[in-house]
Amino acid sequence: MRKANKRITDFGVIRQMLDTCHVGRLGTLGADGWPRIKPLNFAWHEGRIYFHCALEGEKLDDIRHEDRVCFEVDLPIAYVRGTTETPCRAEYLYRSVIMRGRARLVEEPAEKVLALDALMRKYQPGGTWGSYPEEKLAITVIVRIDVEEVVGKEELGKGELRERALAMLASGAPLPAVLG
């Protein structure tokens, strides 16, 4: 990372983002040589990213072609408005995480259930769900990304602006905010 002062060094912050951000973006390389980005739901579990998909499709074609992938999540925190007198005051406050790793198709039934349970805990917190019907498991592909590198980056502003951004994050305020 070019600007070391923007690096997120507290893995707890990164973990919280992975546990709470609802959409991640999978970066793959197609057989035609073109990179592709696909938004998807995901779960972070024991140092791995899990997601599910259909038996066929572009994601799986790309992964079969090249298992090296990247994965990204971001949290928009606030847009800071510029003024007619100080237009350069405008800035965007955020946190982001980018990972690189290798995508693997999960074949083991127990790991498939583990991944689906992790997804359900994330997207249906406090909810209950039953067992997964065998016929649904048979037509659901689970992909696991074995993460090899994680880099977190943030821009929270300086001084009072940074304090406001941190307070919004701590309070659970709706994000992104617009700050004047």
Side-chain angles (χ1 to χ4, degrees), residues 38-138:
K38 295 161 193 70
L40 48 83
N41 298 124
F42 70 97
W44 168 260
H45 182 73
E46 296 181 355
R48 297 171 167 164
I49 295 289
Y50 287 98
F51 63 91
H52 66 79
C53 56
L55 293 173
E56 295 181 19
E58 191 175 71
K59 281 191 288 286
L60 291 181
D61 292 345
D62 290 355
I63 289 167
R64 287 182 179 118
H65 165 71
E66 174 58 69
D67 69 348
R68 292 178 302 166
V69 298
C70 63
F71 192 80
E72 185 272 349
V73 297
D74 55 78
L75 177 65
I77 298 169
Y79 177 72
V80 181
R81 290 184 179 163
T83 66
T84 53
E85 296 81 26
T86 58
C88 294
R89 182 176 179 261
E91 65 179 304
Y92 189 69
L93 309 180
Y94 66 91
R95 282 184 167 156
S96 66
V97 176
I98 296 177
M99 297 177 222
R100 294 192 316 181
R102 296 191 181 264
R104 309 279 189 235
L105 303 184
V106 174
E107 303 293 338
E108 173 64 37
E111 188 176 5
K112 282 180 127 178
V113 169
L114 177 138
L116 291 170
D117 284 347
L119 286 159
M120 292 299 286
R121 278 191 303 276
K122 180 174 184 176
Y123 293 98
Q124 191 174 312
T128 57
W129 56 91
S131 59
Y132 310 103
E134 289 299 321
E135 64 273 9
K136 292 293 187 183
L137 286 173

Side-chain angles (χ1 to χ4, degrees), residues 154-170:
E154 66 183 3
E155 174 56 71
L156 300 180
K158 293 179 179 70
E160 183 262 337
L161 192 58
R162 181 178 181 81
E163 295 306 315
R164 288 177 68 187
L166 289 169
M168 286 187 301
L169 287 166

